[in-house]
Amino acid sequence: MLRENLPYMDATRSVEDRSADLLARMTLVEKVAQLGSYWVYELIDGIAFAPAKAAAKLNSGVGHITRIGGASSVNPRQSAELANAIQKWLLENTRLAIPVVIHEECCSGYMAKGATVFPQAIGVASTWQPELVAEMADIIRRQMRAVGGHHALAPVLDVTRDARWGRVEETFGEDPYLVAQMGSAYVRGIQGRTLENGVIATGKHFVGYGMTEGGMNWSPAHLMPRELRDTYLFPFEAAVRDAGLASMMNGYHEIDGIPCAANKWLLTDVLRGEWGFTGTVVSDYFAVAQLHTYHRVAADLVEAAHLALDAGIDVELPFTDAYGQQLVAAVEAGNISEALVDQAVLRLLQQKFALGLFEQPYVDPGVVVFDTPDERALARKIAQQSLVLLRNEGDLLPLPKTVRSIAVIGPNADSLRNLFGDYAYPAHIESMQEMLHKDNVFNMPGGASVSVDPDFIRTQSLLTVVREADDLDCEIHYARGCDVLDTSTAGFAEAVQAARQAEVALVVVGDKAGLTDDATSGEARDRALLDLPGAQMDLVKAIYDTGTPVVLILINGRPITLGWIAEKIPAILECWFPSEEGAAAIKDVLFGDVNPGGKLPISFPRGVGQIPVFYSHRPSGGRSNWKNDYVDMSTKPLYPFGYGLSYTRFAFSNLRVTPTAQAGETVTVQVDVTNTGARAGDEVVQVYTHQQVFAITRPLKELKAFHRVTLAAGETKTVTFQLPVNLLAFINHADQLVVAPGTVEVMVGSSSVDLPLQGSFTITGEVTPVERAFSASASAS
């Protein structure tokens, strides 16, 4: 029988029938091949597909190809052509002609040359607009599909409350509800209505990775079971059960002595058994081998493979290490059950059929167009709405466009590279260069030839944007002052001179994101101190001492401790890593074309010794009893969760709350919001609740709803929230998810500490086991 006539090639049959038929026809070697992956650079010479290299690795097929766009220097058209060449080789040279899944990183956009780069995730979270996340993810979906990509290693759903951790910038912040809303919006946007035209989203890093010991990457996470479920698992559960997440990735760390890559309770019992997850679990890069090499819970790679497969990891990324020939031999010897292999293969095959790869393995390189004006416009809009105004004494901002002279100073003032986060294309190419050319813990296969294109992204620095602005006619004085990590003060004199010649000084400081040794934020770039790196604090002091008014512009990836700056510098603008349209967005806000409305998704500590500092602490938390403060510092954050200023003012009034409700019902919360200032602006209306229950302590405040609303000067709108009672469910002393009767306090305002309106409602009935609810709806009129 011709292969084309076999049942698994019949598109009219169900995904389940086709997958079962194909699995039954596969040899053990072909099955195991589907559980592995290869870097794209293992299959190319330069940027051209190398059939001889493919023949050495792909004769029996393969599950995934790793990062055609993100681990090479190909442009979008070349990326599509390369994807087609790989698929063509597999279809024409393997017995069963099984197409491959091509996965890519896309935390802040599809991580590839020429693709649109959106603000880093912590900045996207600062918009408090899930609808923008969905629009962004839809663009990522279209760009990836256009070049043959099918599987996205995003979103990051880690709840993080430790600013020392380098990967804070990749997250949506400290609050499980906010993370769940942003993460679920990303999943819906990138997966689309069906996977035939969608891209598989991957929730990572399952689970607790953002709260590791000492804020250090890959360290153990010390999380208690109830906290794990109510806080850290919540965004993942929402993504699976509410948004239909199709893939999950384990964390590198361990919980209570069990590495997440070997944690069957997490990856099978909870994920599949309790939540009904039917997708694939992919390993974080190198995580299967690390069970042997790093965590030392496996005697060798075969045992590591067994542990991972049994726990529930279906596909090993980024290349085949433990899930290779050694696994075949172990199964043939009877040491590992072939049923374990079968269940993993079946899940992957089902996704390949659901993606439509057997019917449409190729793409059209001739129609690939990236980074269009509309796509860049969205990147700019997100950047504009992500900026958080932390301080504006004397209404220094917005600056008048009639200003005659401006000093632009600092290591990030004329930097293109430092506008981007650690999971942007240039950062990862740099990291691959570093890892491939020196000893590293990953033991990556050699042979890559990748380089950073100096024109990697069309963007401009803040200095260039200000200099070339058509609506400004002023003298610009520029001085770098120092580099990000530079401890030298040799450039200070030039910077001081520039400031003295100007009416206002824009001091642009912060981080460089990446994975390389010269990066100060990003994966494996954890910090014990959280002030400005290098000599930057001293640079700010030198400029401040000139007497010229200073606007501090932070280009960074995590909350920092500002020390004296928080009380002395009149204006501070948090910009995170705003990416390709970031400089233009910053200029828009500085000069009043856009009114900043971003809110912090994570609390800023006063000092590193406060960490973890977060708003949703228990009744006994948040202070040093009975004196309240530390001996040498307040226990309060410098800037709290949900905080952000505007160029206008807002007033809240007329809170109305449904008086009673039961489990399974919905409570209506309404509030009037008025713009009392002289210009239009955005406010994020935030709803927090607290319920005191028997035997289990509950956080004093928990975010349960929010809505960003735009108001003209003098305008009032009514914001209405529909709050499911089940959203208040918690794990009780019997380890049940329940809703309990009693009074629920409702607090409404503009941040976790500015809550002028207080109300309540009563939950009636008995303690009731429930299914989780994951979101409240909101509207403004």
Side-chain angles (χ1 to χ4, degrees):
M1 178 181 286
L2 293 173
R3 186 169 57 198
E4 291 75 11
N5 296 327
L6 296 175
Y8 77 88
M9 297 299 289
D10 183 354
T12 67
R13 293 174 181 258
S14 69
V15 164
E16 292 74 19
D17 287 348
R18 297 175 75 184
S19 302
D21 178 75
L22 178 53
L23 180 67
R25 297 175 187 278
M26 297 173 73
T27 67
L28 176 61
V29 171
E30 289 168 334
K31 292 175 184 177
V32 170
Q34 289 297 311
L35 305 185
S37 57
Y38 289 104
W39 286 100
V40 66
Y41 62 72
E42 297 182 81
L43 305 174
I44 58 178
D45 287 324
I47 62 171
F49 178 66
K53 290 185 176 181
K57 296 182 181 296
L58 307 184
N59 270 329
S60 298
V62 68
H64 277 231
I65 294 297
T66 296
R67 288 163 45 186
I68 289 179
S72 73
S73 54
V74 296
N75 63 35
R77 183 186 179 98
Q78 293 165 338
S79 184
E81 291 170 344
L82 187 50
N84 283 347
I86 293 171
Q87 298 286 20
K88 187 174 188 292
W89 194 95
L90 286 166
L91 297 183
E92 294 180 355
N93 294 277
T94 60
R95 186 177 72 91
L96 295 170
I98 303 173
V100 69
V101 169
I102 296 166
H103 76 257
E104 299 281 0
E105 297 282 6
C106 47
C107 180
S108 57
Y110 169 34
M111 194 178 75
K113 184 177 179 179
T116 305
V117 189
F118 297 94
Q120 181 62 300
I122 195 71
V124 176
S126 297
T127 70
W128 289 58
Q129 288 190 277
E131 59 271 24
L132 287 182
V133 181
E135 289 183 51
M136 176 187 77
D138 183 64
I139 289 175
I140 297 170
R141 176 190 65 81
R142 287 189 273 115
Q143 290 187 351
M144 282 187 63
R145 270 294 198 170
V147 295
H150 319 107
H151 189 126
L153 301 187
V156 174
L157 298 174
D158 296 307
V159 173
T160 185
R161 295 169 173 179
D162 193 330
R164 295 171 298 180
W165 188 49
R167 303 190 75 171
V168 167
E169 64 176 76
E170 301 170 40
T171 77
F172 294 124
E174 76 175 49
D175 181 79
Y177 183 79
L178 180 61
V179 174
Q181 303 318 300
M182 297 306 219
S184 293
Y186 185 103
V187 172
R188 294 186 183 99
I190 202 165
Q191 291 190 172
R193 293 185 178 181
T194 70
L195 288 183
E196 287 186 356
N197 295 302
V199 168
I200 289 169
T202 305
K204 63 185 192 183
H205 308 84
F206 200 55
V207 64
Y209 186 41
M211 283 301 291
T212 53
E213 189 176 90
M216 295 181 289
N217 203 40
W218 297 7
S219 292
H222 304 291
L223 301 172
M224 296 296 100
R226 184 171 290 104
E227 182 182 24
L228 185 67
R229 283 189 177 272
D230 280 345
T231 299
Y232 295 94
L233 281 170
F234 180 84
F236 292 93
E237 186 177 0
V240 170
R241 300 183 63 190
D242 197 40
L245 181 74
S247 184
M248 192 71 80
M249 175 182 281
N250 69 280
Y252 282 121
H253 60 296
E254 65 173 73
I255 299 176
D256 197 23
I258 302 177
C260 291
N263 195 322
K264 190 171 185 176
W265 177 79
L266 276 176
L267 300 179
T268 297
D269 296 350
V270 172
L271 180 61
R272 296 191 186 277
E274 295 182 19
W275 298 352
F277 178 75
T278 59
T280 54
V281 176
V282 298
S283 80
D284 206 342
Y285 283 15
F286 321 102
V288 177
Q290 284 176 7
L291 296 176
H292 166 55
T293 62
Y294 185 72
H295 291 291
R296 302 178 187 177
V297 295
D300 51 33
L301 291 180
V302 172
E303 189 173 348
H306 193 181
L307 284 173
L309 270 175
D310 187 57
I313 291 182
D314 302 313
V315 182
E316 181 183 17
L317 305 181
F319 66 95
T320 305
D321 196 349
Y323 280 13
Q325 183 56 42
Q326 299 169 93
L327 176 57
V328 173
V331 173
E332 290 176 337
N335 297 324
I336 297 177
S337 168
E338 189 168 352
L340 277 180
V341 173
D342 286 353
Q343 72 176 6
V345 175
L346 186 62
R347 291 164 184 159
L348 179 59
L349 292 179
Q350 288 174 343
Q351 285 199 333
K352 289 187 174 185
F353 283 114
L355 286 164
L357 295 184
F358 286 81
E359 286 67 56
Q360 296 180 335
Y362 304 121
V363 294
D364 183 355
V367 300
V368 176
V369 179
F370 274 15
D371 213 21
T372 65
D374 286 347
E375 292 166 349
R376 293 188 71 93
L378 181 62
R380 185 164 179 168
K381 181 178 180 180
I382 293 174
Q384 290 169 340
Q385 302 209 15
S386 73
L387 304 187
V388 184
L389 184 61
L390 298 178
R391 184 173 168 87
N392 194 24
E393 292 302 299
D395 291 330
L396 176 59
L397 294 178
L399 299 173
K401 293 184 179 180
T402 55
V403 63
R404 293 169 298 174
S405 59
I406 299 174
V408 184
I409 297 166
N412 286 343
D414 195 29
S415 172
L416 303 182
R417 169 64 179 80
N418 292 1
L419 291 170
F420 299 92
D422 71 332
Y423 269 64
Y425 178 71
H428 261 248
I429 294 298
E430 289 173 357
S431 70
M432 291 189 66
Q433 289 176 322
E434 181 181 86
M435 288 188 291
L436 286 162
H437 296 102
K438 71 176 188 178
D439 292 337
N440 64 87
V441 298
F442 297 118
N443 189 31
M444 293 175 68
S449 177
V450 293
S451 61
V452 180
D453 188 324
D455 299 319
F456 59 90
I457 297 163
R458 291 185 295 117
T459 192
Q460 292 180 308
S461 70
L462 181 60
L463 174 64
T464 299
V465 168
V466 173
R467 270 180 175 166
E468 297 182 357
D470 292 335
D471 55 351
L472 298 178
D473 184 17
C474 62
E475 190 175 4
I476 304 297
H477 305 279
Y478 167 67
R480 187 178 183 85
C482 62
D483 290 329
V484 167
L485 272 174
D486 189 6
T487 58
S488 170
T489 61
F492 281 24
E494 181 185 10
V496 166
Q497 179 63 20
R500 285 176 173 158
Q501 297 178 74
E503 294 181 35
V504 64
L506 308 180
V507 182
V508 192
V509 294
D511 286 315
K512 175 185 177 180
L515 291 75
T516 52
D517 292 347
D518 64 340
T520 61
S521 178
E523 187 172 359
R525 305 312 296 145
D526 313 313
R527 295 191 63 210
L529 301 177
L530 292 176
D531 55 2
L532 290 169
Q536 293 182 81
M537 293 287 284
D538 292 334
L539 175 64
V540 177
K541 179 67 163 57
I543 304 306
Y544 173 77
D545 285 344
T546 67
T548 301
V550 172
V551 177
L552 189 70
I553 299 168
L554 300 174
I555 309 290
N556 62 311
R558 69 184 111 201
I560 62 172
T561 57
L562 292 171
W564 64 271
I565 288 175
E567 297 181 355
K568 298 294 185 181
I569 298 299
I572 304 173
L573 187 65
E574 175 58 75
C575 304
W576 307 111
F577 293 122
S579 297
E580 64 180 39
E581 287 289 328
I586 294 169
K587 186 262 181 185
D588 293 338
V589 166
L590 290 176
F591 292 92
D593 295 314
V594 170
N595 191 345
K599 301 284 187 174
L600 292 180
I602 186 169
S603 304
F604 272 51
R606 296 177 184 274
V608 72
Q610 285 184 305
I611 291 173
V613 58
F614 56 97
Y615 85 90
S616 58
H617 55 76
R618 308 278 171 162
S620 60
R623 64 189 185 279
S624 181
N625 284 317
W626 65 100
K627 298 289 190 181
N628 287 326
D629 288 333
Y630 294 106
V631 169
D632 46 4
M633 186 178 293
S634 168
T635 56
K636 304 302 181 186
L638 175 62
Y639 300 116
F641 174 82
Y643 172 84
L645 302 176
S646 170
Y647 296 155
T648 188
R649 304 289 186 271
F650 299 94
F652 293 79
S653 63
N654 196 21
L655 176 64
R656 292 91 79 194
V657 182
T658 301
T660 62
Q662 297 184 17
E665 296 181 344
T666 300
V667 170
T668 300
V669 177
Q670 290 185 304
V671 60
D672 295 339
V673 187
T674 302
N675 181 345
T676 61
R679 66 171 69 216
D682 288 4
E683 179 61 287
V684 179
V685 183
Q686 301 168 41
V687 178
Y688 297 82
T689 66
H690 168 67
Q691 182 184 13
Q692 182 175 333
V693 299
F694 175 72
I696 301 294
T697 63
R698 302 293 300 137
L700 291 180
K701 299 171 188 172
E702 294 180 282
L703 181 70
K704 293 300 179 185
F706 61 86
H707 185 65
R708 183 164 175 161
V709 59
T710 300
L711 296 169
E715 183 180 14
T716 297
K717 286 185 179 179
T718 297
V719 180
T720 301
F721 300 95
Q722 300 297 333
L723 187 71
V725 173
N726 288 12
L727 193 57
L728 279 63
F730 61 93
I731 303 295
N732 70 2
H733 61 281
D735 292 329
Q736 295 176 306
L737 182 71
V738 300
V739 165
T743 300
V744 177
E745 301 171 53
V746 178
M747 298 156 275
V748 181
S750 62
S751 79
S752 60
V753 299
D754 185 6
L755 298 166
L757 301 185
Q758 312 282 322
S760 66
F761 67 92
T762 301
I763 298 177
T764 60
E766 304 295 326
V767 174
T768 306
V770 296
E771 291 289 322
R772 278 202 193 273
F774 299 104
S775 64
S777 63
S779 61
S781 59

